[in-house]
Amino acid sequence: MGRYEDLEGRVKRLALEAGCGGARVVVSKYFPGIAAIPWLNMVLVSEAVARNLSDECLRAILAHEAYHLTMVKDRRRLLRNLLTSACGYLLLIDVVLLITAAPLWLLINAPLPSSPLHEVLATVVTAFIILAALPYASLIVRRLESRLMRWVPFGAEEAEANEYAARVVGEATFVEAVVAYSEALRSAVGDLGLLGKLFMNSIRVAEAVNPHPMPGEVRGGERRE
């Protein structure tokens, strides 16, 4: 219990240094990542991930999340993020429907006996097809958004959060932190088995709705190197 309390104190200290201010910082044994919840003025931090990050790297990731906490106070950013997320969500739905159109058409038109059991079976198979298509559709949508970033501010919030964190801790430290965080996240998720796979698929879907621009991607008419 002492180790856990030490870790919680460390995370809260680094969160304060990173600019999280009066936000509530929750260290969780069950949530495998690090994420800000602006509406609740809260930052969720994975115990497993935090243990595998140095102070500098954890401070950098928390600085990124600290920027997200300020979103609710900026109506312009809030509206922009809602609109771009809605566009990403609609793109995802369209691609899912495109991918699943053929198998769903065959399922709907299959000469199955009309009975409650077959209707339930058809519903289950339909849900399985859609869920199986989601990760692949997410990758396609993410590539489309990368091409559209010159004209549509997909991922602008995430890019700004990266820039803010780089100013707080230094660009070299932030780049190192992103790599370390990715490795720590994969390790934490790998320990969860099936739940970990479901979590990674949910991240892919979230990336399609709210992308994190990579270096070199076009955003706002400029190329980020």
Side-chain angles (χ1 to χ4, degrees), residues 10-222:
R10 169 179 172 252
V11 171
K12 289 183 176 180
R13 171 177 58 81
L14 293 172
L16 189 62
E17 294 174 4
C20 291
R24 183 185 176 199
V25 179
V26 177
V27 180
S28 172
K29 295 182 179 180
Y30 308 105
F31 180 72
I34 299 177
I37 308 176
W39 316 103
L40 300 177
N41 196 29
M42 177 191 296
V43 179
L44 277 175
V45 180
S46 162
E47 177 185 348
V49 170
R51 288 192 189 282
N52 288 315
L53 292 179
S54 66
D55 282 7
E56 292 76 12
C57 290
L58 184 53
R59 187 186 297 110
I61 301 302
L62 289 170
H64 174 99
E65 301 304 330
Y67 183 82
H68 291 316
L69 292 175
T70 66
M71 178 179 62
V72 293
K73 299 178 182 178
D74 189 333
R75 292 182 181 179
R76 180 176 173 275
R77 275 171 60 199
L78 184 60
L79 179 60
R80 177 195 65 190
N81 296 338
L82 288 174
L83 289 176
T84 54
S85 295
C87 289
Y89 181 72
L90 291 174
L91 274 174
L92 183 60
I93 291 176
D94 290 340
V95 173
V96 167
L97 291 176
L98 185 64
I99 291 176
T100 60
L104 289 182
W105 184 87
L106 291 173
L107 180 64
I108 292 172
N109 291 277
L112 297 174
S114 179
S115 69
L117 178 60
H118 286 94
E119 289 178 4
V120 170
L121 180 61
T123 302
V124 171
V125 172
T126 299
F128 176 80
I129 290 173
I130 293 174
L131 289 175
L134 263 177
Y136 302 101
S138 300
L139 294 175
I140 294 171
V141 169
R142 183 62 181 84
R143 288 180 177 272
L144 287 173
E145 289 171 337
S146 181
R147 301 293 186 273
L148 294 171
M149 281 181 186
R150 181 183 295 275
W151 303 281
V152 182
F154 286 118
E157 173 75 12
E158 296 300 336
E160 290 167 3
N162 288 347
E163 292 163 3
Y164 171 79
R167 289 196 300 271
V168 171
V169 302
E171 187 170 353
T173 300
F174 180 68
V175 172
E176 178 188 349
V178 171
V179 175
Y181 175 64
S182 297
E183 293 173 353
L185 181 62
R186 280 196 294 269
S187 176
V189 168
D191 294 337
L192 297 177
L194 178 59
L195 287 177
K197 292 181 180 179
L198 292 174
F199 180 78
M200 290 306 296
N201 282 334
S202 71
I203 287 181
R204 293 188 182 96
V205 173
E207 181 67 18
V209 175
N210 183 34
H212 294 61
M214 300 295 291
E217 282 191 297
V218 172
R219 184 175 66 82
E222 298 180 0

